[in-house]
């Protein structure tokens, strides 16, 4: 997909309905996730089941004309076509999913503890947050259950690993807390911190790529920003008019976006707490009554891997793609009952999950980042806003590096 083109539906995965599943289990796809290296896709397809699908998808799922784009040799350098789809029976409704960074030395140690006779190999793991407050940790390659983490008293709504590969896991729950876990402790994982302060269910948690900050969104008008070094509250970000339900950091950690039921996305500077921009989700066709006043409530927001685009899913049955420096969406796609979205880690594809348990894959803009943006991204990966402002450089350059040129 080129910039300015409408997203095209590449493929759709639909769950089966085997009779042995409890009919009372919900069928919603609350979470979708790609592994960081792009070799696996996971989705909570309802009925207590998580599907692990090798990526790229098999040809039968891809419409004619897109096979070459979806299954190129560049995307399959290690013969991943030999990987097999797996079904993880979690025993409870699955709400949150998170892949570990890959490969990482700690994950190899964790794998070795459960495979003492096996050679030392890389281990990609998947964390699943369940309806009963449990967190189950799975080894992706084999589908083996490695750990069961207990502590939360209600639904584990979201999960996030630190990108550094240290196997630190953050969980967000309806029990109004966040919990920090070290999966490399004592061979069975250890809870190392409980973060309290939210007054409502915690919907979402996101760790900054530089591993310095944690953002949490609950059924409140403000979001909390925590230090990942001291596990203390840095600040509350206030600006939304209704519950905040989703959040995500930019790839360089310089920006934070939050999505709310108030139909808006707010872009923040997480270092200063400054509100940089608001993106409003208005209906394409005006309605004659007030019955649809909440139809544009946001469900999910995420950054593209190069940091130039955002994707949002709203209750008005639209997937929107936004360019970072524009106030209006650059593309729309019709989708029904959307709940979540995520970009493929190498760009070009967006995955969305729906209330009926379906997953859809859409084309996303593929652009060559400008040299200016690449330099900004590299600098902001290790410089805070305050450090940039202290540099002996022209004002316009500081404004560009701190995303104040919108």
């Amino acid at each position: 997909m080129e910039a300015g083109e409408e997203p095209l539906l590449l493929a759709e995965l639909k769950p089966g309905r085997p009779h042995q599943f409890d009919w009372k289990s919900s069928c919603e796809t609350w979470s979708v996730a790609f592994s960081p290296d792009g070799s696996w896709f996971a989705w909570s397809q309802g009925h207590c089941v998580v599907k692990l699908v090798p990526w790229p998808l098999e040809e039968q799922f891809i419409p004619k004309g897109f096979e070459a784009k979806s299954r190129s040799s560049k995307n399959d350098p290690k013969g991943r076509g030999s990987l097999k789809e797996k079904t993880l029976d979690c025993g409870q409704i699955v709400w949150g999913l998170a892949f570990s960074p890959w490969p990482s030395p700690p994950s190899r140690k964790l794998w070795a503890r459960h495979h003492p006779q096996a050679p030392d190999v890389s281990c990609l793991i998947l964390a699943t947050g369940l309806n009963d407050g449990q967190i189950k940790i799975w080894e992706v390659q084999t589908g083996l259950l490695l750990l069961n983490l207990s502590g939360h008293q209600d639904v584990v709504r979201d999960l996030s690993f630190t990108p550094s590969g240290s196997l630190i896991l953050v969980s967000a729950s309806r029990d109004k807390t966040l919990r920090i876990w070290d999966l490399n402790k004592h061979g069975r994982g250890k809870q190392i911190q409980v973060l309290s302060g939210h007054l409502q269910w915690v919907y979402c948690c996101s760790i900054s790529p530089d591993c310095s900050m944690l953002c949490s969104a609950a059924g409140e008008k403000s979001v909390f920003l925590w230090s990942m070094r001291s596990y203390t509250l840095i600040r509350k970000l206030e600006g939304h008019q209704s519950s905040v339900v989703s959040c995500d950091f930019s790839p360089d950690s310089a920006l934070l976006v939050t999505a709310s039921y108030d139909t808006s996305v707010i872009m923040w500077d997480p270092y200063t707490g400054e509100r940089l921009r608001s993106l409003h989700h208005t209906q394409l066709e005006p309605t004659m009554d007030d019955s649809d006043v909440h139809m544009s409530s946001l469900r999910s927001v995420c950054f593209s891997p190069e940091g130039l685009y955002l994707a949002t899913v709203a209750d008005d049955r639209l997937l929107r793609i936004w360019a970072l420096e524009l106030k209006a969406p650059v593309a729309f796609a019709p989708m029904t009952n959307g709940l979540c979205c995520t970009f493929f880690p190498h760009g070009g594809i967006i995955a969305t999950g729906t209330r009926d348990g379906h997953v859809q894959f859409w084309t996303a803009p593929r652009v060559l980042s400008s040299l200016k943006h690449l330099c900004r991204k590299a600098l902001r990966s290790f410089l805070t806003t305050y450090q940039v402002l202290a540099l002996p450089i022209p004002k316009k350059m500081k404004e560009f590096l701190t995303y104040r040129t919108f």
Side-chain angles (χ1 to χ4, degrees), residues 24-288:
K24 293 181 181 179
S25 297
S26 69
C27 63
E28 294 93 344
T29 293
W30 292 108
S31 296
V32 291
F34 286 101
S35 62
D37 69 338
S39 62
W40 289 92
F41 175 75
W43 55 304
S44 56
Q45 68 165 37
H47 302 287
C48 311
V49 166
V50 170
K51 282 287 187 181
L52 277 170
V53 183
W55 191 270
L57 297 177
E58 296 297 332
E59 280 84 352
Q60 65 262 32
F61 296 117
I62 304 294
K64 286 187 176 181
F66 290 101
E67 292 91 339
K69 295 180 182 179
S70 297
R71 292 189 64 84
S72 69
S73 59
K74 292 182 180 179
N75 290 337
D76 195 16
K78 300 179 181 178
R80 292 175 184 147
S82 62
L83 302 179
K84 302 299 182 184
E85 177 182 307
K86 293 175 179 61
T87 300
L88 307 180
D89 185 357
C90 297
Q92 291 281 331
I93 298 170
V94 181
W95 292 79
L97 293 174
F99 281 99
S100 66
W102 185 91
S104 65
S107 65
R108 288 198 289 271
K109 294 178 183 177
L110 178 64
W111 196 92
R113 290 192 189 106
H114 295 268
H115 303 75
Q117 306 304 319
D120 185 21
V121 297
S122 296
C123 171
L124 178 66
I125 63 178
L126 177 73
T128 55
L130 307 183
N131 198 64
D132 62 356
Q134 301 288 310
I135 301 169
K136 291 188 175 181
I137 309 296
W138 308 82
E139 202 277 299
V140 172
Q141 187 69 30
T142 63
L144 176 70
L145 179 63
L146 297 177
L147 300 173
N148 199 345
L149 306 177
S150 300
H152 283 295
Q153 305 303 309
D154 207 334
V155 170
V156 177
R157 185 61 185 86
D158 197 22
L159 296 160
S160 184
F161 277 99
T162 52
S164 63
S166 61
L167 285 189
I168 299 296
L169 174 69
V170 177
S171 55
S173 172
R174 284 186 180 177
D175 66 11
K176 305 176 187 177
T177 70
L178 297 109
R179 294 173 191 255
I180 316 295
W181 311 84
D182 186 345
L183 303 193
N184 204 40
K185 287 281 188 181
H186 309 308
R188 59 182 182 275
K190 180 184 178 182
Q191 178 181 292
I192 58 176
Q193 194 74 32
V194 178
L195 304 182
S196 303
H198 283 294
L199 302 178
Q200 302 294 333
W201 296 348
V202 188
Y203 286 111
C204 182
C205 59
S206 179
I207 301 173
S208 61
D210 66 2
C211 300
S212 68
M213 295 173 286
L214 165 67
C215 180
S216 59
E220 302 158 357
K221 297 178 182 179
S222 60
V223 295
F224 287 14
L225 203 61
W226 310 82
S227 167
M228 281 297 290
R229 296 185 176 96
S230 62
Y231 301 123
T232 55
L233 183 65
I234 300 173
R235 65 173 54 89
K236 295 181 183 180
L237 300 176
E238 298 180 342
H240 283 289
Q241 304 304 309
S242 188
S243 300
V244 185
V245 294
S246 184
C247 57
D248 194 25
F249 283 94
S250 61
D252 59 5
S253 304
L255 297 172
L256 171 70
V257 287
T258 55
S260 167
Y261 286 161
D262 66 9
T263 76
S264 71
V265 168
I266 296 180
M267 193 178 301
W268 311 84
D269 184 323
Y271 294 103
T272 66
E274 183 180 348
R275 178 174 170 170
L276 301 179
R277 163 168 292 184
S278 294
L279 306 176
H280 297 284
H281 291 62
T282 56
Q283 292 183 325
L284 295 183
E285 297 180 3
T287 180
M288 297 302 293

